């Protein structure tokens, strides 16, 4: 009986607690009950939306990887290395017999004399098919010096590759294969991509082909001084998508599956990815690709001006009226910049309608145009806005040498005539010409009969005032395969010499 009463007591207590809780809830204001329900519903909806967003992003990654897979290749290289071992000596037997015992091996006479060996160095990289007829874009450092190229396609086919052309100044190369059923990648815009945008890096890190990593664009317009010994053209996209050895030459793509860069380098102390990778933007790569396919080499535009970034120091030093752009430090006479009217101190603010943020961008842009192209520039000159059109020449070693003119021509060191130099060599009343201060033995100048102390008054009938002028005249004569006639003053004698 006591047990039954005990169970009944528990039941009554539970009913009482339930009634109290119900009463408390029902006693809350209607607004508070609705708010509590709304918060629960809102949290549930937000969770479902977050999951949906994550699933959509995952789907985007998957779709891009599937679309790009047929366009991404692995590139294996082999390079033969010549190692010279000890070879048999060819000393006459009479001299060989005079060697002390045991010296035969030291001089390569022993039976273990080693012949030349040719071991091979192997390399691995990536590439991206950019045309259905077999053209592949990759890095120069992937194929540089290679004697053999083997390209592996996504379907497992392995095809021999041929280097069409390379461009060390951008670290780009074009490879050609003969194969059917190729799928080309679609080019996007590296100019329009923004910091924070998602990107995927695809390639063969450590030989693991078709590896896909995701990240964002961490920065743009990076210059690291790593291409062509620091003398190359750089405008890197920076990404935190994992890039490792073997990724070089592979594509960096946006979420539309469009090619925006060529993975090239990493910044790392260990040699593996540390979240800082660099890709060559397609805005820089595409003109190189087209030029190599068309001519097997890269032809670049030439402005004929030294440029720099506008920074606070330049603004203060020269009283510039703008704080961003490409500063024209100097212009070469009779070259495109000077002919178009550009002057030292000008600031280029736009290139063909697009903002110009600095000297590096101007340098890269000019180099990406073909010789003969016309570039429209917006220029600020002492606060005045000008529009200037420049017709570019071709960038060559000769044209670039004009920025650092040599005083040595044909093996003769030359100086323009000045009162001081004339007096030093015993001349009076000279108004123009070039004084020969020294001549290298067996040089072309020496063979032509030039001596230290001679004054070259004219070349090809033109009076000389600068070493650059003589260099230009020499270059023109060499192109025509003609002898250049020099009028020389030696003491009180004037004579004629010919040089080729």
């Amino acid at each position: 009986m006591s047990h039954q009463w005990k169970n009944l007591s528990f039941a009554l207590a539970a009913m009482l607690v339930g009634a109290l809780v119900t009463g408390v809830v029902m006693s809350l204001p209607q607004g508070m009950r609705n708010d509590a329900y709304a918060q629960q519903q809102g949290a549930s909806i937000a969770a479902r939306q977050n999951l949906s967003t994550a699933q959509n992003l995952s789907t985007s990654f998957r779709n891009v990887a599937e679309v790009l897979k047929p366009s991404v290749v692995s590139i294996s290289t082999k390079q033969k290395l010549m190692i010279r071992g000890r070879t048999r000596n060819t000393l006459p037997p009479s001299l060989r017999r005079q060697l002390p015992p045991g010296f035969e091996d030291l001089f390569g006479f022993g039976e273990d004399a080693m012949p030349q060996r040719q071991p091979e160095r192997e390399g691995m990289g990536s590439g991206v098919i950019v045309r259905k007829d077999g053209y592949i874009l990759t890095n120069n450092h992937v194929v540089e010096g290679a004697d053999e190229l083997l390209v592996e396609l996504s379907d497992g086919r392995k095809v021999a590759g041929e280097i069409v052309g390379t461009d060390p100044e951008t670290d780009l190369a074009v490879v050609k294969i003969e194969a059917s059923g190729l799928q080309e990648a679609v080019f996007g815009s590296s100019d329009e991509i923004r910091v924070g945008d998602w990107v995927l890096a695809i390639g063969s890190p450590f030989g693991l082909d078709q590896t896909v990593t995701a990240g964002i664009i961490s920065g743009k317009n990076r210059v690291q001084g790593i291409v062509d010994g620091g003398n190359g053209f750089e405008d890197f996209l920076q990404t935190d998508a994992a890039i490792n050895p073997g990724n070089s030459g592979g594509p960096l793509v946006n979420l539309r599956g469009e090619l925006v860069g060529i993975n090239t380098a990493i910044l790392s102390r260990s040699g593996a990815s540390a979240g800082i990778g660099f890709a060559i933007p397609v805005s820089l790569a595409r003109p190189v690709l087209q030029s190599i396919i068309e001519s097997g080499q890269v032809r670049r535009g030439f402005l004929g001006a030294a440029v720099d970034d506008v920074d606070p120091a330049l603004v203060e030093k020269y009283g510039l009226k703008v704080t961003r752009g490409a500063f024209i430090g100097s212009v070469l006479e009779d070259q495109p910049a000077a002919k178009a009217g550009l002057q030292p101190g000008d600031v280029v603010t736009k290139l063909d309608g697009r903002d110009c943020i600095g000297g590096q961008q101007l340098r890269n842009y000019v180099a990406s145009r073909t010789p003969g192209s016309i570039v429209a520039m917006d220029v600020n000159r002492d606060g005045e806005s000008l529009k200037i059109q420049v017709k570019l020449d071709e960038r060559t070693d000769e044209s670039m040498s004009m920025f650092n003119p040599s005083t040595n021509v044909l093996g003769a060191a030359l100086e323009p005539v000045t009162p001081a130099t004339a007096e030093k060599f015993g001349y009076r009343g000279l108004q123009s010409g070039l004084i020969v201060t020294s001549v290298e033995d067996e040089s072309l100048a020496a063979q032509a009969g030039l001596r230290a102390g001679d004054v070259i008054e004219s070349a090809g009938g033109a009076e000389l005032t600068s070493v650059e002028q003589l260099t230009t005249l020499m270059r023109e004569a060499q192109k025509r395969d003609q002898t250049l006639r020099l009028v020389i003053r030696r003491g009180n004698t004037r004579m004629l010499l010919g040089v080729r």
Side-chain angles (χ1 to χ4, degrees):
M1 186 70 178
S2 61
H3 181 69
Q4 292 177 348
W5 278 108
K6 185 176 182 180
N7 289 340
L8 181 61
S9 298
F10 278 126
L12 291 173
M15 292 174 63
L16 179 59
V17 170
L20 288 172
V21 170
T22 302
V24 170
V25 172
M26 294 302 294
S27 65
L28 289 173
Q30 182 68 29
M32 292 183 65
R33 293 204 303 273
N34 291 341
D35 289 345
Y37 178 76
Q39 289 176 1
Q40 291 177 347
Q41 288 295 103
S44 177
I45 293 172
R48 289 197 296 272
Q49 289 176 340
N50 290 340
L51 178 60
S52 176
T53 300
Q55 288 175 335
N56 290 339
L57 185 59
S58 179
T59 300
S60 297
F61 290 166
R62 184 170 61 248
N63 291 342
V64 170
E66 291 175 357
V67 168
L68 264 294
K69 182 177 180 180
S71 302
V72 183
V73 302
S74 298
I75 300 177
S76 302
T77 64
K78 289 184 179 180
Q79 180 180 7
K80 295 179 181 179
L81 303 177
M82 179 69 74
I83 296 181
R84 297 185 179 274
R86 287 181 296 152
T87 58
R88 298 186 182 276
N89 206 297
T90 57
L91 279 177
S94 58
L95 294 179
R96 191 187 309 176
R97 284 193 295 269
Q98 299 180 27
L99 293 175
F103 273 60
E104 291 88 351
D105 289 343
L106 187 62
F107 283 87
F109 296 124
E111 300 204 353
D112 62 340
M114 297 169 58
Q116 295 178 345
R117 296 182 293 120
Q118 283 191 319
E120 292 182 334
R121 175 186 296 164
E122 297 184 349
M124 173 68 72
S126 306
V128 55
I129 299 172
V130 291
R131 281 188 19 176
K132 293 180 180 179
D133 52 354
Y135 286 99
I136 296 169
L137 186 60
T138 185
N139 283 133
N140 175 62
H141 74 261
V142 170
V143 301
E144 186 176 20
D147 296 304
E148 296 179 24
L149 291 180
L150 190 64
V151 177
E152 183 174 356
L153 306 177
S154 62
D155 58 10
R157 286 182 291 169
K158 294 183 179 180
V159 187
E162 178 185 356
I163 299 175
V164 180
T166 63
D167 183 36
E169 289 185 297
T170 55
D171 194 20
L172 290 168
V174 179
V175 173
K176 181 74 162 60
I177 60 173
E178 298 296 335
S180 59
L182 300 179
Q183 180 173 314
E184 64 188 14
V186 176
F187 280 88
S189 173
S190 54
D191 292 332
E192 294 180 1
I193 201 165
R194 301 173 63 183
V195 173
D197 285 349
W198 282 100
V199 287
L200 299 182
I202 310 176
S204 304
F206 302 108
L208 302 172
D209 61 308
Q210 299 294 331
T211 296
V212 181
T213 57
I216 63 170
I217 295 295
S218 309
K220 296 183 66 175
N221 308 121
R222 301 300 196 199
V223 177
Q224 298 298 115
I226 57 177
V227 175
D228 198 27
N231 298 315
F233 298 96
E234 298 183 10
D235 190 29
F236 289 122
L237 298 174
Q238 179 186 333
T239 180
D240 64 353
I243 297 176
N244 285 290
N247 270 114
S248 290
L252 186 72
V253 298
N254 60 24
L255 291 192
R256 291 189 292 272
E258 297 169 336
L259 181 66
V260 296
I262 299 297
N263 301 319
T264 299
I266 59 175
L267 186 61
S268 171
R269 294 181 178 177
S270 66
S273 175
I276 303 177
F278 300 102
I280 300 169
V282 293
S283 61
L284 191 59
R286 200 168 187 178
V288 172
L289 168 69
Q290 293 171 340
S291 184
I292 289 178
I293 291 177
E294 291 173 2
S295 63
Q297 60 183 351
V298 181
R299 298 183 63 204
R300 292 191 163 92
F302 177 71
L303 179 62
V307 299
D308 203 350
D309 295 333
V310 172
D311 59 20
L314 280 179
V315 171
E316 181 178 358
K317 182 177 181 179
Y318 296 105
L320 303 180
K321 307 302 181 184
V322 292
T323 58
R324 190 173 76 163
F327 178 76
I328 304 297
S330 63
V331 296
L332 297 173
E333 292 183 2
D334 298 323
Q335 297 304 312
K339 291 179 180 178
L342 281 174
Q343 298 178 8
D346 287 349
V347 177
V348 179
T349 57
K350 286 190 176 183
L351 294 167
D352 287 333
R354 295 186 176 183
D355 289 342
C356 178
I357 62 175
Q360 186 69 28
Q361 182 184 357
L362 173 58
R363 180 171 176 262
N364 290 341
Y365 190 80
V366 168
S368 70
R369 304 300 97 181
T370 56
S373 298
I374 295 177
V375 178
M377 298 183 179
D378 285 18
V379 175
N380 187 283
R381 180 179 296 164
D382 297 326
E384 181 184 359
S385 296
L386 305 174
K387 291 188 179 296
I388 293 177
Q389 290 193 332
V390 184
K391 184 177 181 180
L392 304 177
D393 279 350
E394 183 165 6
R395 185 178 188 268
T396 63
D397 291 340
E398 292 176 350
S399 63
M400 294 302 296
S401 69
M402 289 189 286
F403 287 108
N404 296 292
S406 173
T407 59
N408 188 299
V409 179
L410 303 176
L414 308 174
E415 290 184 14
V417 167
T418 64
T421 56
E423 182 179 357
K424 177 180 178 181
F425 288 92
Y427 291 104
R428 294 182 180 179
L430 294 180
Q431 301 298 322
S432 62
L434 303 175
I435 293 183
V436 180
T437 59
S438 65
V439 178
E440 297 175 6
D441 292 339
E442 299 182 358
S443 64
L444 290 177
Q447 294 174 20
L450 282 175
R451 302 177 185 175
D454 286 351
V455 176
I456 307 176
E457 295 184 338
S458 66
E463 289 189 359
L464 296 177
T465 58
S466 69
V467 178
E468 295 80 18
Q469 182 186 4
L470 176 59
T471 302
T472 300
L473 292 171
M474 282 294 308
R475 188 161 53 239
E476 292 175 352
Q478 289 170 349
K479 287 180 179 179
R480 296 192 298 267
D481 194 25
Q482 294 178 346
T483 298
L484 184 65
R485 299 176 10 149
L486 306 180
V487 175
I488 306 297
R489 177 181 290 275
R490 182 175 295 162
N492 295 324
T493 304
R494 296 175 74 240
M495 64 185 68
L496 186 66
L497 295 180
V499 295
R500 293 181 68 90

